[in-house]
């Protein structure tokens, strides 16, 4: 099932599995969303149900993924840089 990340600056398409793995990778590098619509946060951000990730959470996600760049081998450097750049732009919707 595809996930679309939609921000004011553009869109990014990922598989559901890839998106979940990115969030788990970020979590293992210190990311915890502060503005999730509920607790636990996973059901809101794992699924493409139109939930919004706040600017603060998106930027902290980018920071955690940046920490993970050289400490993992599942994703390519280019792919992670693309995701990091997208998240640094601010809030986005997960469709």
């Amino acid at each position: 099932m595809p996930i679309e990340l939609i921000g004011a600056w553009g869109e990014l398409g990922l598989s559901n599995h890839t998106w979940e793995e990115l969030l788990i990778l970020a979590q293992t590098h210190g990311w915890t969303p502060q503005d999730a619509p509920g607790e636990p946060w996973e059901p809101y951000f794992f699924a493409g149900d139109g939930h919004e990730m706040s600017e603060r959470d998106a930027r902290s996600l980018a920071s955690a993924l940046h920490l993970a760049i050289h400490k993992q081998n599942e994703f390519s450097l280019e792919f992670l840089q693309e995701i990091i750049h997208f998240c640094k732009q601010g809030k986005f919707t997960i469709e």
Side-chain angles (χ1 to χ4, degrees):
M1 182 170 158
I3 294 286
E4 290 288 325
L5 306 181
I6 303 169
W9 56 93
E11 298 180 13
L12 187 62
L14 309 164
S15 73
N16 192 21
H17 176 75
T18 298
W19 177 236
E20 287 181 16
E21 291 299 314
L22 284 167
L23 294 178
I24 291 167
L25 178 63
Q27 188 177 27
T28 62
H29 285 84
W31 181 70
T32 302
Q34 302 298 307
D35 302 321
E39 191 65 39
W41 60 266
E42 290 89 341
Y44 299 99
F45 290 155
F46 279 177
D49 293 336
H51 292 288
E52 184 175 276
M53 185 172 291
S54 71
E55 181 173 343
R56 175 170 63 166
D57 286 344
R59 291 189 176 175
S60 66
L61 175 62
S63 295
L65 291 173
H66 182 74
L67 290 174
I69 281 180
H70 299 293
K71 299 176 183 176
Q72 61 81 47
N73 59 8
E74 184 172 346
F75 301 107
S76 73
L77 175 62
E78 182 179 285
F79 175 73
L80 277 178
Q81 287 175 329
E82 180 182 8
I83 298 295
I84 290 166
H85 177 73
F86 184 90
C87 293
K88 281 184 177 180
Q89 303 303 310
K91 69 180 180 177
F92 57 85
T93 303
I94 305 162
E95 294 284 339

